[in-house]
Amino acid sequence: MSRGGRNNDREDPERRCIATGEVQPKRGLIRFVIGPEDQVVPDLAEKLPGRGIWVAADRDALEKATSKGLFSRAARTKVTVPADLVAQVEDGLARRVVELVSLARKTGKAVAGFEKVKGWLAEGRAKVLLQASDGSERGKGKLWTPTGGLWFGCLTASELGLSFGRDHVIHGALAAGGLTDKVILEAGRLTGLRGHDGGNSAAGKE
């Protein structure tokens, strides 16, 4: 799911980022709309009415769009940009990932804990390895990215814990199918804002 990929089929439509000027698949972009009071509003679910304004799911791109007046330029009118817009987007994406993983757990598509995750990896059941950004590097290094799968380290231990009804979780895994593709999409966007935990050399690679 490379954000830099070029795929023109209808399942992966493209939009232009107002900050970078690049055209890329929507999955790597954040949609914004202008609210009734001419305020910029994140539309993470891409369901709000109005013409969409798109920015790459990247902290530098979002900060450039907010600081350089690019939303007003794109909207062709003066708009108000909340001072905490980047934080709103980051927090909103984190909540979406947490909620999706929680739903996946309830359908039996997600497990947590070192031994359970290691078992899924060994059996080839895991499609995605999730590891807390603030977890021990030594402990995380004992697990591996699923063959043909993905690794994400964009959630903290407390955030990942929320998905599993615990105070904190360091290791989690998702099976293929169900909500896993949606988790991959949202975790990819969140990673663009937070960056990967550099302690895992296989981070996010297929």
Side-chain angles (χ1 to χ4, degrees):
M1 63 162 264
S2 171
R3 280 192 280 155
R6 286 289 180 265
N7 187 342
N8 292 319
D9 67 38
R10 290 175 295 177
E11 294 182 357
D12 200 6
E14 296 181 332
R15 297 291 186 272
R16 184 182 300 277
C17 170
I18 64 170
T20 66
E22 295 180 356
V23 175
Q24 63 185 69
K26 277 174 36 176
R27 64 175 49 245
L29 297 160
I30 305 295
R31 184 178 190 262
F32 296 85
V33 296
I34 307 304
E37 299 180 357
D38 293 330
Q39 179 163 297
V40 177
V41 178
D43 179 22
L44 302 181
E46 300 178 7
K47 294 181 178 180
L48 295 177
R51 186 174 70 86
I53 297 174
W54 300 83
V55 182
D58 175 85
R59 181 171 294 275
D60 290 341
L62 283 170
E63 290 179 347
K64 178 180 178 180
T66 59
S67 65
K68 301 294 185 180
L70 301 184
F71 284 105
S72 292
R73 184 184 302 175
R76 298 179 182 177
T77 187
K78 181 67 174 178
V79 299
T80 301
V81 180
D84 64 343
L85 185 64
V86 177
Q88 285 184 32
V89 174
E90 180 180 340
D91 292 345
L93 288 173
R95 284 196 301 272
R96 289 174 69 83
V97 176
V98 167
E99 290 167 2
L100 286 167
V101 174
S102 178
L103 290 172
R105 172 181 63 86
K106 293 173 182 177
T107 62
K109 293 286 187 179
V111 294
F114 181 86
E115 293 300 333
K116 287 185 178 179
V117 171
K118 184 178 180 180
W120 272 31
L121 288 168
E123 295 165 10
R125 293 181 62 187
K127 172 68 175 179
V128 175
L129 173 64
L130 300 169
Q131 292 186 304
S133 58
D134 50 351
S136 162
E137 295 302 327
R138 182 177 180 182
K140 290 191 293 184
K142 294 179 181 179
L143 297 179
W144 58 94
T145 300
T147 301
L150 295 168
W151 174 92
F152 290 105
C154 54
L155 294 178
T156 64
S158 60
E159 288 171 335
L160 195 53
L162 286 174
S163 297
F164 292 94
R166 305 180 187 179
D167 289 337
H168 68 277
V169 165
I170 304 299
H171 314 282
L174 299 171
L179 295 168
T180 295
D181 284 347
K182 289 186 177 180
V183 175
I184 290 171
L185 171 63
E186 301 297 356
R189 289 172 168 170
L190 181 59
T191 295
L193 270 74
R194 290 184 170 178
H196 275 305
D197 174 9
N200 190 318
S201 60
K205 292 186 179 180
E206 296 188 3

